[in-house]
């Protein structure tokens, strides 16, 4: 399993290229001369950064988008987005025409003038933003202005080894998060150690990355909805971190759990669930498809993650299309973004995935797209794989109807760095949750105040 360990310097460096100029940092030319018109015939080339068509879901949509672009030649750069390379390209005046970025990067990119506002693009190409999942659109909306067209949605499910639960006299309800005392008790019951050696991870609360999920489950947001006020020292956030960290303490500490989970064949048939060395954890929905592929006979149980009042909850993340400042072909970029996120494109993607799954004798477990209309269409296209996979699909769509997201803000990298550094300090035993989050609160709020001030002043 890949556990991301964040440091403030590492995250901020990715967005620190060119700290002078337009907005908070980078900025190139805008798109004032662009004429967005859904009926216009387009030409030229379209260079795409950060997106590679590596599977049928990607290639089918790219093929559809190319049809919508007519004579435009689409050039896809290989590999994921390199932020330093992208910001350097913008600063040099030679950016790609469109960029594919994580939604939690859009706020900082917009504040730095690296990407343009999409109001005219949305109007001119008639992009139906009302069709998008609200939490996804919120994440690319900075100070009331949309800077990205969201694509894909990632949510969490509770995933558990049903045999381990049964042997311990437990059910999925004991580990779905609705009762934190029950989860902690289940963790102790499921954990198996041989002296100092961990043999079975009882429960993995997935820190540091899931602190916003546990805070929300405890009734708190780590940042206000307008993206202007950090709330990391909220007592409910502190309580959430204390509880989630205690899950590791009860198993010998975070380092022991991390070392053991990192040794697993996470994407193979020797994964933790198939080999019976993990009781339960919250995990992104795409892992259902992995498990069904590599260990279809694993005895699994699935549910949504629940808040402490018993309601389904999910922390929404994903990617988005954005038009860089100085794009040489913003009109084609806008149409490409519209086409790639359209219901028709997603239908083509679902049909291609169904064909591929059918050829392998496996079910189609759905795709979460960030387009609510497309999601409903695709849900009706899913095919049965029997239990527990049908329950997994049902719970995935239930979670997708119960999402929240981190709001866009001009200091999103600095905010996350402060938050995750605080979590890691607690996991490493260097600070209490209260002290670590109090320190993070000061750092995060200072970064937010500075970034919003510069944005407001047009620096």
């Amino acid at each position: 399993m890949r556990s991301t360990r964040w440091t403030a310097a590492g995250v901020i460096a990715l967005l620190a290229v060119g700290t002078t100029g337009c907005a908070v940092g980078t900025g190139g030319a805008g798109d004032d001369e662009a004429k967005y018109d859904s009926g216009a015939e387009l030409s030229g080339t379209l260079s795409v950064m950060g997106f590679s068509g590596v599977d049928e879901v990607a290639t089918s949509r790219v093929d559809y988008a190319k049809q919508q672009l007519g004579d435009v030649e689409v050039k896809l750069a290989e590999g994921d987005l390199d932020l330093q390379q992208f910001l350097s390209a913008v600063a040099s005046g030679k950016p790609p025409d469109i960029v594919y970025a994580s939604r939690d990067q859009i706020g900082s990119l917009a504040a730095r003038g690296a990407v343009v506002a999409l109001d005219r693009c949305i109007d001119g190409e008639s992009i139906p933003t009302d069709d998008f999942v609200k939490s996804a659109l919120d994440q690319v909306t900075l100070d009331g202005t949309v800077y990205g067209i969201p694509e894909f949605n990632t949510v969490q499910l509770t995933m558990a080894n049903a045999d381990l639960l049964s042997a311990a006299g437990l059910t999925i309800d004991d580990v779905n998060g609705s009762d934190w005392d029950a989860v902690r008790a289940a963790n102790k019951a499921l954990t198996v150690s041989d002296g100092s050696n961990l043999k079975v991870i009882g429960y993995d609360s997935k820190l540091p990355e899931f602190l916003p999920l546990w805070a929300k489950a405890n009734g708190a947001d780590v940042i206000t909805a307008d993206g202007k006020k950090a709330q990391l020292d909220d007592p409910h956030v502190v309580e959430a971190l204390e509880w989630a960290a205690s899950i590791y303490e009860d198993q010998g500490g975070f380092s022991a759990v991390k070392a053991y989970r990192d040794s697993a064949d996470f994407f193979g048939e020797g994964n933790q669930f198939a080999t019976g060395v993990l009781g339960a954890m919250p995990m992104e929905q795409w892992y259902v498809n992995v498990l069904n592929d590599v260990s279809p006979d694993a005895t699994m149980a699935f549910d949504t993650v629940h808040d402490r009042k018993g309601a389904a909850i999910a922390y929404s993340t994903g990617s988005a299309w954005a038009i860089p400042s100085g794009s040489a072909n913003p009109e084609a970029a806008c149409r490409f973004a519209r086409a790639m996120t359209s219901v028709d494109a997603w239908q083509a993607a679902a049909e291609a995935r169904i064909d591929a799954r059918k050829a392998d004798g496996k079910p189609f477990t759905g795709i979460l797209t960030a387009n609510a209309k497309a999601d409903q269409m695709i849900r009706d296209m899913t095919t049965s794989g029997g239990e527990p996979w049908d329950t997994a699909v049902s719970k995935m769509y239930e979670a997708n109807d119960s999402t929240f997201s981190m709001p866009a803000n001009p200091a999103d990298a600095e905010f996350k760095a402060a938050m995750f550094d605080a979590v890691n300090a607690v996991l490493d035993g260097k600070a209490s949750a209260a002290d670590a989050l109090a320190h993070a609160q000061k750092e995060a709020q200072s970064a937010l105040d500075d970034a919003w001030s510069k944005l407001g002043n047009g620096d």
Side-chain angles (χ1 to χ4, degrees):
M1 183 177 301
R2 301 168 183 172
S3 177
T4 304
R5 301 301 297 271
W6 298 77
T7 64
V11 176
I12 295 171
L14 292 176
L15 288 168
V17 178
T19 54
T20 61
C22 181
V24 184
T26 312
D31 67 336
D32 293 344
E33 296 182 2
K35 296 179 180 179
Y36 300 108
D37 180 356
S38 60
E41 293 186 7
L42 305 177
S43 60
T45 61
L46 180 75
S47 58
V48 183
M49 179 182 282
F51 184 86
S52 295
V54 296
D55 65 8
E56 65 279 357
V57 172
T59 56
S60 59
R61 290 184 301 121
V62 169
D63 289 344
Y64 173 80
K66 287 180 178 178
Q67 294 174 3
Q68 303 304 303
L69 288 171
D71 293 333
V72 175
E73 180 185 2
V74 177
K75 296 181 177 180
L76 296 174
E78 292 295 328
D80 295 331
L81 178 65
D82 183 322
L83 274 175
Q84 290 188 8
Q85 180 184 0
F86 170 63
L87 291 172
S88 294
V90 173
S92 70
K94 297 180 180 180
D97 296 311
I98 190 168
V99 65
Y100 190 64
S102 175
R103 293 202 296 262
D104 62 9
Q105 297 168 340
I106 296 297
S108 285
L109 292 176
R112 285 161 172 77
V115 296
V116 302
L118 297 183
D119 305 64
R120 293 195 306 114
C121 159
I122 290 169
D123 289 342
E125 282 288 338
S126 300
I127 298 176
T129 53
D130 289 345
D131 291 351
F132 290 99
V133 175
K134 183 178 184 303
S135 59
L137 194 62
D138 286 347
Q139 203 170 19
V140 293
T141 304
L142 179 66
D143 205 21
T145 299
V146 177
Y147 286 89
I149 304 300
E151 180 183 286
F152 286 113
N153 218 29
T154 300
V155 300
Q156 302 78 34
L157 298 179
T158 298
M159 305 184 187
N161 182 304
D163 283 348
L164 292 181
L165 289 180
S166 179
L170 303 169
T171 71
I172 191 70
D173 293 339
D174 294 302
V175 292
N176 66 12
S178 57
D179 184 332
W180 284 6
D181 290 337
V183 175
R184 190 169 183 183
N187 176 52
K188 293 177 180 179
L190 292 165
T191 299
V192 177
S193 298
D194 180 8
S196 60
N197 296 319
L198 192 60
K199 297 296 184 181
V200 177
I201 298 171
Y203 185 86
D204 188 348
S205 54
K206 297 296 292 295
L207 291 179
E209 58 264 44
F210 282 0
L211 177 61
L213 176 69
W214 297 125
K216 189 72 170 181
N218 203 31
D221 292 297
V222 296
I223 186 172
T224 54
D226 61 7
K228 295 184 177 181
K229 298 295 182 183
Q231 299 183 142
L232 293 171
D233 60 352
D234 184 300
H236 292 89
V237 180
V238 174
E239 183 182 22
L241 178 53
E242 289 173 340
W243 172 79
S246 75
I247 295 297
Y248 298 117
E249 294 167 7
D250 291 341
Q251 300 178 80
F254 178 74
S255 60
V257 176
K258 182 181 184 300
Y260 194 44
R261 75 185 188 187
D262 285 353
S263 68
D265 181 20
F266 190 67
F267 291 96
E269 60 184 9
N271 64 77
Q272 294 159 300
F273 287 125
T275 56
V277 297
L278 171 63
M281 67 175 176
M283 182 62 198
E284 287 86 350
Q285 88 283 350
W286 52 260
Y287 197 50
V288 171
N289 201 48
V290 173
L291 293 172
N292 183 260
D293 268 338
V294 301
S295 52
D297 297 325
T299 55
M300 296 295 300
F302 297 98
D303 197 357
T304 61
V305 178
H306 291 242
D307 66 20
R308 299 187 74 179
K309 294 181 179 180
I313 187 174
Y315 173 28
S316 170
T317 58
S319 300
W321 293 103
I323 301 177
S325 297
S327 169
N329 201 345
E331 295 90 349
C334 183
R335 186 167 299 176
F336 184 83
R338 184 199 72 183
M340 289 290 286
T341 59
S342 68
V343 171
D344 288 343
W346 287 119
Q347 181 175 354
E351 290 172 349
R353 175 59 58 84
I354 288 171
D355 289 344
R357 298 291 286 175
K358 186 180 294 183
D360 292 336
K362 295 176 179 178
F364 173 52
T365 56
I367 305 169
L368 297 184
T369 74
N371 182 319
K373 282 192 174 181
D375 285 340
Q376 184 57 58
M377 175 193 66
I378 293 172
R379 182 174 187 174
D380 293 339
M381 298 170 71
T382 58
T383 58
S384 176
E387 291 298 339
W389 311 107
D390 290 353
T391 292
V393 172
S394 174
K395 294 300 181 180
M396 176 183 79
Y397 282 103
E398 183 180 345
N400 199 45
D401 290 335
S402 308
T403 58
F404 74 97
S405 65
M406 296 270 284
N409 69 79
D412 44 25
E414 296 90 339
F415 179 90
K416 277 194 168 184
M419 177 173 63
F420 290 140
D421 281 354
V423 177
N424 288 329
V426 173
L427 294 176
D428 292 339
K430 297 178 179 179
S432 68
D435 289 346
L437 289 172
H439 178 72
Q441 172 69 21
K442 294 179 180 178
E443 286 192 340
Q445 192 58 57
S446 176
L448 287 170
D449 289 344
D450 183 58
W452 279 109
S453 175
K454 289 179 178 177
L455 185 63
N457 292 332
D459 295 338

